[in-house]
């Protein structure tokens, strides 16, 4: 068994929520006790602050036998983990921990961090988090440890080692599949029939197109659902017969994101003659986060929002069709019968549901009710997917919309909420985009394996080597004071990849311009790829990945 560095074990388990804070102690914990069956090893709380040379070998010797390797890390990393500050005040902390998502996270952590070997640490953890927070609005991990309302913090080492194994499996298998993707992509690029794009400068889709466009803001109200939608509509100015139809692309942002974050993409698509509509989903936009933190709503995200989001898009299409019939635009008529959609994260879930993927609530509820220790512990999107387990499996949710005919999904999650059965129902062209450093929707369980399940005959998997889950500095990250300063990730470069590949995909599959299909190849991906963050592409014809069922 390979043992993770000690500070990572504690960080994964206690710091998994990435919440840390400060306060005077009430019932101060005196030691952290690791127990494995009948064996036990303890560390004094004060040593966590003063003695930063954590005795990894001694822990291994006392708790685990037949250890093959130990990977000690610099003490500075341990110190940084204990003392890193997050800006959340006590009211915000309390609301987060009493929400469905916060409760589920604490219940999972409580299986490992216990008041006693027999007692789940859920209530003690919640108390420690709330007591540690104060009016200054900052906190550290060390403060939370000190506020734990028991003399001893009991850590179930047996579960930790299962998690270590699960993490190592996830990392190893992900690396194998990334290597397989790169190999298949390279083979496709060596095909003699591929184009040399350096010798064909007739179209450079990295540059803006020739069309001018204008933006209009729409406010739509769905009286039936009592739901108001803010929409930014980008229309290209096209001089041709008014009977011609302008292709339309919908953009569904991720959780807490805003329309403005996708302006770069909308403008690029519009410059090539495509109309683009970006909508804010009122139950999962940043306004929802603000309402939650202000205490005007109990949950930061509800199961109903997973139903409302696809219905928002269908309502938008209905309203655009109605407005078009009442007052045809002098700039041309939108094609509302063959619509493309681009989604990010929960927006990609929205897109997949609209495209025909079916919710698999029965199997989702079975999985979410278990306490299985597998690598989905390292898949935070499962917290959101398990939110859907609150929906009734006996109700027939009709979320698909026949007008959606192509999907470009950025960092989607789908492994359990749709599963293999649900994704097999999806028959339209689909592109998945994943990043090798995506923490929230990990590449292997949420993009690579679900890609193999898709029932689509035309499907594409784009891997951004070094890509993460985010492409912008969002207001939510600023609110939580979470740093995203990894120099290896270059969001502007990732956005440039998204611009050109989504354009090629939509021009091919909703505008039916065959000349753009040549860009949906790994040969072109390699042409635009930069060494600092490489782009690889495989499609339904070139993919021969030996995927196992890791779930």
């Amino acid at each position: 068994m390979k043992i993770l560095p000690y500070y990572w074990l504690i960080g994964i388990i206690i710091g998994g929520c990435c919440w840390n804070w400060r306060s005077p102690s009430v019932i101060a914990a005196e030691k952290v006790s690791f127990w494995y069956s009948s064996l036990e090893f303890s560390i004094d709380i004060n040593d966590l602050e003063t003695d930063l040379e954590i005795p990894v070998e001694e822990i291994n010797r006392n708790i685990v036998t037949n250890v093959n390797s130990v990977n000690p890390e610099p003490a500075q990393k341990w110190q940084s983990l204990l003392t890193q500050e997050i800006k959340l005040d006590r009211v915000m902390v309390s609301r987060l921990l009493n929400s469905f998502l916060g409760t589920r996270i604490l219940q999972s952590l409580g299986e490992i961090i216990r008041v006693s070997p027999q007692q789940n640490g859920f209530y003690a953890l919640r108390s420690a988090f709330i007591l540690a927070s104060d009016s200054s609005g900052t906190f550290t991990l060390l403060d939370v440890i000190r506020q734990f309302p028991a003399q001893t913090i009991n850590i179930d080492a047996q579960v930790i080692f299962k998690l270590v194994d699960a993490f190592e499996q996830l990392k190893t298998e992900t690396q194998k599949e990334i290597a397989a993707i790169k190999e298949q992509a390279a083979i496709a690029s060596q095909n003699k029939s591929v184009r040399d794009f350096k010798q064909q400068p007739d179209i450079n889709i990295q540059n803006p197109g020739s069309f001018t466009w204008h933006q209009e803001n729409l406010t739509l109200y769905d009286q039936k659902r009592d739901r108001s939608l803010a929409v930014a509509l980008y229309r290209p100015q096209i001089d041709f017969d008014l009977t011609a139809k302008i292709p339309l692309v919908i953009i569904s942002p991720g959780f807490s994101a805003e329309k403005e974050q996708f302006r770069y993409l909308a403008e690029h698509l519009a410059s090539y003659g495509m109309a683009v509509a970006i909508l804010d989903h009122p139950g999962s936009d940043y306004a929802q986060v603000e309402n939650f933190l202000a205490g005007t709503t109990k949950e930061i995200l509800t199961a109903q929002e997973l139903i409302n989001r696809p219905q928002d898009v269908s309502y938008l299409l209905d309203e655009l069709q109605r407005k078009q019939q009442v007052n045809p635009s002098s700039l041309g008529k939108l094609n509302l019968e063959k619509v493309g959609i681009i989604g990010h994260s929960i927006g990609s879930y929205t897109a997949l549901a609209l495209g025909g993927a079916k919710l698999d609530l029965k199997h989702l509820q079975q999985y979410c009710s278990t306490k299985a220790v597998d690598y989905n512990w390292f898949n935070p999107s499962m917290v959101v997917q398990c939110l859907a387990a609150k929906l009734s499996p006996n109700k027939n949710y009709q979320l698909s919309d026949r007008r959606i005919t192509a999907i470009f999904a950025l960092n989607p999650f789908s492994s359990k909420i749709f599963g293999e059965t649900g994704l097999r129902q999806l028959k339209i062209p689909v592109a998945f985009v994943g990043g090798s450093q995506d923490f929230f929707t990990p590449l292997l369980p949420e993009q690579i394996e679900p890609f193999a399940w898709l029932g689509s005959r035309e499907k594409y998997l784009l891997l951004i080597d070094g890509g993460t889950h985010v492409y912008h500095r969002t207001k939510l990250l600023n609110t939580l004071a979470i740093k995203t300063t990894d120099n290896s990730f270059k969001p502007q470069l990732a956005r440039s990849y998204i611009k050109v590949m989504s354009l090629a995909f939509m021009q091919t599959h909703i505008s039916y311009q065959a000349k753009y299909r040549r860009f949906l190849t790994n040969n072109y991906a390699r042409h635009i790829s930069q060494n600092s963050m490489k782009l690889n592409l495989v499609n339904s014809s070139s993919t021969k990945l030996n995927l196992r069922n890791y779930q």
Side-chain angles (χ1 to χ4, degrees):
M1 178 187 297
K2 184 177 180 180
I3 306 301
L4 283 180
Y6 179 75
Y7 82 92
W8 272 114
L9 292 179
I10 302 298
I12 289 169
I13 292 154
I14 303 179
C17 301
C18 69
W19 297 329
N20 320 285
W21 47 94
R22 169 175 306 162
S23 148
S25 62
V26 180
I27 304 176
E30 297 178 356
K31 64 179 181 178
V32 177
S33 177
F34 295 82
W35 48 272
Y36 186 96
S37 185
S38 60
L39 301 175
E40 183 177 356
F41 178 81
S42 299
I43 299 174
D44 191 279
I45 292 292
N46 292 328
D47 290 341
L48 297 179
E49 182 177 17
T50 59
D51 183 10
L52 296 178
E53 295 294 339
I54 303 302
V56 178
E57 293 184 4
E58 187 175 356
I59 293 174
N60 291 334
R61 186 168 57 252
N62 279 273
I63 296 183
V64 182
T65 58
N66 300 321
V67 176
N68 294 324
S69 63
V70 175
N71 186 16
E73 293 286 336
Q76 289 80 3
K77 293 185 177 181
W78 168 252
Q79 183 181 38
S80 175
L81 184 67
L82 283 176
T83 59
Q84 181 181 356
E85 290 188 346
I86 297 293
K87 295 180 180 179
L88 282 177
D89 62 29
R90 180 169 294 178
V91 174
M92 291 183 182
V93 168
S94 179
R95 287 173 182 152
L96 285 167
L97 298 184
N98 284 286
S99 68
F100 171 83
L101 299 182
T103 296
R104 184 170 182 87
I105 290 170
L106 283 189
Q107 286 173 338
S108 296
L109 290 176
E111 287 296 310
I112 304 171
I113 305 170
R114 295 172 171 266
V115 175
S116 70
Q118 294 78 33
Q119 184 178 351
N120 185 291
F122 168 76
Y123 291 106
L125 285 168
R126 187 166 66 180
S127 174
F129 287 154
I130 294 173
L131 288 172
S133 58
D134 61 19
S135 58
S136 69
T138 61
F139 50 82
T140 69
L141 177 57
L142 188 59
D143 298 327
V144 177
I145 294 173
R146 288 171 172 162
Q147 290 294 345
F148 196 82
Q151 289 186 337
T152 301
I153 300 176
N154 291 276
I155 306 293
D156 188 340
Q158 187 169 357
V159 177
I160 290 178
F161 296 133
K162 288 181 180 179
L163 286 173
V164 170
D165 284 342
F167 179 79
E168 288 296 324
Q169 181 198 13
L170 174 61
K171 183 175 68 173
T172 300
E173 299 298 346
T174 299
Q175 291 171 344
K176 286 181 180 179
E177 295 304 338
I178 290 175
I181 290 172
K182 291 179 178 179
E183 180 182 359
Q184 291 296 323
I187 291 173
S189 295
Q190 293 170 1
N191 189 317
K192 293 182 180 180
S193 65
V194 299
R195 299 173 182 268
D196 184 352
F197 290 95
K198 293 180 180 179
Q199 305 300 321
Q200 298 180 3
D202 55 326
I203 299 180
N204 185 351
I205 62 175
Q206 293 177 279
N207 295 330
S210 59
F211 291 95
T212 58
W213 46 266
H214 80 283
Q215 178 192 343
E216 57 181 303
N217 295 315
L218 307 176
T219 301
L220 309 178
Y221 177 66
D222 185 348
Q223 187 174 16
K224 183 178 179 180
R225 296 185 300 144
D226 188 25
R227 196 165 166 95
S228 181
L229 303 176
V231 180
L233 179 62
Y234 296 76
R235 278 182 179 267
Q237 295 178 309
I238 299 177
D239 297 325
F240 54 48
D241 188 340
L242 293 181
T243 60
K245 293 184 177 182
I246 302 173
L248 173 65
V249 176
I250 305 291
I251 297 180
S252 177
F255 176 75
S256 83
E258 298 178 296
K259 299 188 299 295
E260 188 65 24
Q261 294 170 9
F262 289 90
R263 170 186 285 273
Y264 79 96
L265 183 55
E267 291 178 352
H268 191 68
L269 296 177
S271 74
Y272 281 84
M274 310 182 83
V276 183
I278 315 174
L279 72 162
D280 283 339
H281 297 277
S284 49
D285 57 4
Y286 188 71
Q288 172 71 8
V289 176
E290 291 180 316
N291 291 336
F292 173 76
L293 296 178
T296 58
T297 182
K298 182 180 179 181
E299 298 292 342
I300 196 168
L301 185 66
T302 67
Q304 184 59 37
E305 182 63 9
L306 298 171
I307 304 303
N308 281 334
R309 272 181 154 259
Q311 293 176 346
D312 289 345
V313 175
S314 291
Y315 181 77
L316 168 61
L317 293 176
D318 291 341
E319 282 298 291
L320 290 176
Q321 188 170 21
R322 184 186 65 81
K323 290 177 180 292
Q324 194 159 265
Q325 291 172 346
V326 173
N327 183 25
S329 173
S330 61
L331 298 176
K333 182 181 292 186
L334 301 178
N335 185 348
L336 299 174
E337 294 301 315
K338 296 183 182 298
V339 178
I341 185 168
I342 299 172
H344 174 237
S345 193
I346 193 173
S348 289
Y349 152 81
T350 305
L352 294 170
L354 284 159
K358 301 295 184 183
L359 295 174
D360 189 2
L361 295 179
K362 181 179 178 181
H363 289 98
L364 178 69
Q365 290 174 347
Q366 290 175 354
Y367 179 84
C368 295
S369 65
T370 67
K371 297 180 181 179
V373 176
D374 58 24
Y375 66 47
N376 276 317
W377 271 73
F378 305 96
N379 182 355
S381 77
M382 284 307 307
V383 179
V384 178
Q385 294 187 65
C386 284
L387 186 63
K390 299 177 71 174
L391 299 170
S392 172
N394 299 320
K395 189 171 182 179
N396 185 20
Y397 295 101
Q398 296 292 337
L399 303 180
S400 63
D401 192 313
R402 61 171 181 79
R403 295 170 290 190
I404 299 297
T405 58
I407 299 169
F408 196 85
L410 303 168
N411 310 86
F413 58 77
S414 59
S415 62
K416 296 298 183 183
I417 197 167
F418 296 123
E420 182 174 2
T421 301
L423 290 175
R424 291 285 183 202
Q425 306 304 311
L426 214 161
K427 305 298 183 183
I428 62 177
V430 180
F432 275 6
V433 180
S436 63
Q437 302 300 318
D438 186 344
F439 169 73
F440 185 75
T441 56
L443 183 65
L444 177 62
E446 295 303 336
Q447 284 99 54
I448 294 178
E449 186 170 33
F451 175 77
W453 298 340
L454 292 170
S456 311
R457 295 183 62 183
E458 295 194 83
K459 56 184 180 180
Y460 311 83
L461 175 62
L462 293 101
L463 167 63
I464 301 177
D465 200 358
T468 69
H469 191 73
V470 297
Y471 303 94
H472 300 85
R473 181 72 192 182
T474 66
K475 286 185 177 180
L476 180 59
L477 292 178
N478 290 331
T479 297
L480 299 178
I482 295 175
K483 298 179 181 180
T484 55
T485 56
D486 183 358
N487 293 329
S488 66
F489 176 58
K490 303 182 183 302
Q492 188 172 359
L493 179 57
R495 291 196 296 269
S496 72
Y497 293 161
I498 292 167
K499 281 198 308 183
V500 297
M501 300 311 295
S502 64
L503 172 64
F505 178 83
M506 292 301 174
Q507 291 283 49
T508 300
H509 293 294
I510 68 168
S511 298
Y512 305 107
Q513 296 192 40
K515 64 182 179 180
Y516 283 88
R517 187 177 288 274
R518 57 179 157 164
F519 300 111
L520 294 175
T521 62
N522 191 61
N523 198 45
Y524 181 70
R526 291 180 65 181
H527 172 66
I528 64 173
S529 182
Q530 296 187 21
N531 290 333
S532 59
M533 193 166 65
K534 292 185 177 181
L535 178 67
N536 290 275
L537 182 153
V538 292
N539 57 37
S540 50
S541 62
S542 65
T543 306
K544 298 178 181 178
L545 305 180
N546 295 318
L547 288 168
R548 292 164 33 200
N549 185 350
Y550 298 109
Q551 306 298 319

